[in-house]
Amino acid sequence: MDDAAGPQARSVFGVDPLDEFALLVSDCVWDHCRNLGNIEIEAKIGVLIDRGTQSRLRLPVFTETIVDAKQLNLRFESNMSMAQHRHYNQLLNQAVAFSAQAAPPERITYRHQKEIDSFYDERDPETGHMVHLRVTRDAVTHEIKPGGIVAKKRIADINVFAPNRPFDYRISINTEAPVPAPQEGTEPSFVREKDRLSYTHQNMNIDLTQVILPNKPKEPVHELEVEIRNSADLMQHAYLSRGNSQPGTQEWSPFEDTILVLLNNVRLLIR
Amino acid sequence: MDDAAGPQARSVFGVDPLDEFALLVSDCVWDHCRNLGNIEIEAKIGVLIDRGTQSRLRLPVFTETIVDAKQLNLRFESNMSMAQHRHYNQLLNQAVAFSAQAAPPERITYRHQKEIDSFYDERDPETGHMVHLRVTRDAVTHEIKPGGIVAKKRIADINVFAPNRPFDYRISINTEAPVPAPQEGTEPSFVREKDRLSYTHQNMNIDLTQVILPNKPKEPVHELEVEIRNSADLMQHAYLSRGNSQPGTQEWSPFEDTILVLLNNVRLLIR
């Protein structure tokens, strides 16, 4: 207990190693997004399901790790029980109440929104590719929300197995490009109602959503997502730190740190 | 890039989550060692070998994780090439040279030692159990080293798979209890020569060892280990922080932090 010797050095090299996990997620975001706009980066909380057994993944590991979902034949189920949804609602409301005494940049705000999403699969007249359109309307006025018509495209997924937690999580990179409205008279392929509590804290949104599908009106799905609000800002940090650097000269910048804060939020939520 | 808003909060709850990995290793050390003396905690660098394929473990994960060596049918091979040994020797010598300008508590010192270990398997006359004795002698004078006769007992292993690194590692908990010399005339079951460079930094030893076995004099084994020098001091920190606390009220103390520094050293060495 020789505390007189001063603080413990972080290692024989004087530093902590960079966080391998956060760096790998950051590398994936950088590799996929450096040439894209309208990026959405979010982490969904749920369970990794083995398609073979149709139950949660089992793997002989004892700590959180990013898994190869293709090789393991996994799908991700973003759902939780009503009781878990209620628990998260209380937990986040407490965080809002607690933060009310903090300085404005630390405060958490929240909004309650009811929306209806209509999905359309249309063929792009120029490329011939199928495009997945989402039109979001206010559930009360039925007016289309500002920026509410987007073409959503899946870019990449990172699947995280968390053996000591009730939930796993998936980090998804998508683009949500604003597009013109679908042609009048087109029938949506799919409609859903969303009842969402959106908690906003700095550059993070935590969305606690109840989703009702028309064919299962009595079985709402409960979703919890953490999303980076301003991904353009995130990528600006990435361009600054990584745009001109040589491979292998990696440093910790606000880019990696924002990715770590995303992970921090998820990890604290699934404890 | 709204840096005027002040530093980024660590999460919506205002804190970083505790490091799950370091905490799990700390829990394992605490659970096994709280009632033991003469503890040795060390991390060996090497490769996890699948006994089925006799080659390095393959697992569909992308980040470092603690694995179930029993379920995966693994053994750990603590060896490296001569070139890797030389690389580590240079790297650690550079760290010594660099630290020479630092304040004394931050300096790294090193010793070169040549020793001969003789192992004896004896039956304890009281318990009837077999005991594994090690007698360590100076290789030049052949005198037994101070504290050089110990009964070594394996307590627990933690096996870490590091898919992005050239090496995996194993954290071993052993007891090394001082014992009387084996009976005169007893033949050792096993003898080895050790040529060891021991780098000492605060509460850590990094040992770079060339081991020569009598049946393979031309094929030395090269080992790299990071060891906590004063485990009594470590456990004293653990008793202070965990001795009276309720389960679930876990906090980060110098105990967990010393375990993290052990991990930091290994992770920086295997980069």
Side-chain angles (χ1 to χ4, degrees), chain A residues 23-48:
Chain A
L23 216 50
L24 201 139
V25 176
S26 302
D27 288 350
C28 179
V29 170
W30 171 245
D31 290 345
H32 284 100
C33 300
R34 53 192 298 182
N35 297 316
L36 294 177
N38 304 303
I39 302 155
E40 184 207 48
I41 298 162
E42 64 184 7
K44 287 173 189 285
I45 284 162
V47 180
L48 287 166

Side-chain angles (χ1 to χ4, degrees), chain A residues 1 12 16 62 233 264-265, chain B residues 1 12 16 66 233 264-265:
Chain A
M1 309 283 283
V12 71
D16 282 293
F62 298 126
D233 189 71
N264 280 352
N265 277 307
Chain B
M1 309 283 283
V12 71
D16 281 294
I66 300 176
D233 189 71
N264 280 352
N265 277 306

Side-chain angles (χ1 to χ4, degrees), chain A residues 40-44 154 156-158 170-174:
Chain A
E40 184 207 48
I41 298 162
E42 64 184 7
K44 287 173 189 285
R154 193 188 147 279
D157 291 327
I158 299 168
R170 164 177 280 183
I171 300 157
S172 298
I173 306 170
N174 296 293

Side-chain angles (χ1 to χ4, degrees), chain A residues 56-92:
Chain A
R56 188 175 177 193
L57 172 65
R58 295 171 70 115
L59 211 59
V61 304
F62 298 126
T63 50
E64 183 196 69
T65 190
I66 299 176
V67 295
D68 187 334
K70 199 172 169 188
Q71 199 183 323
L72 288 164
N73 194 25
L74 303 177
R75 63 184 173 84
F76 183 77
E77 202 173 274
S78 169
N79 195 5
M80 62 180 62
S81 71
M82 188 83 96
Q84 286 164 328
H85 182 97
R86 203 177 303 122
H87 161 75
Y88 282 120
N89 189 0
Q90 286 169 356
L91 187 72
L92 290 162

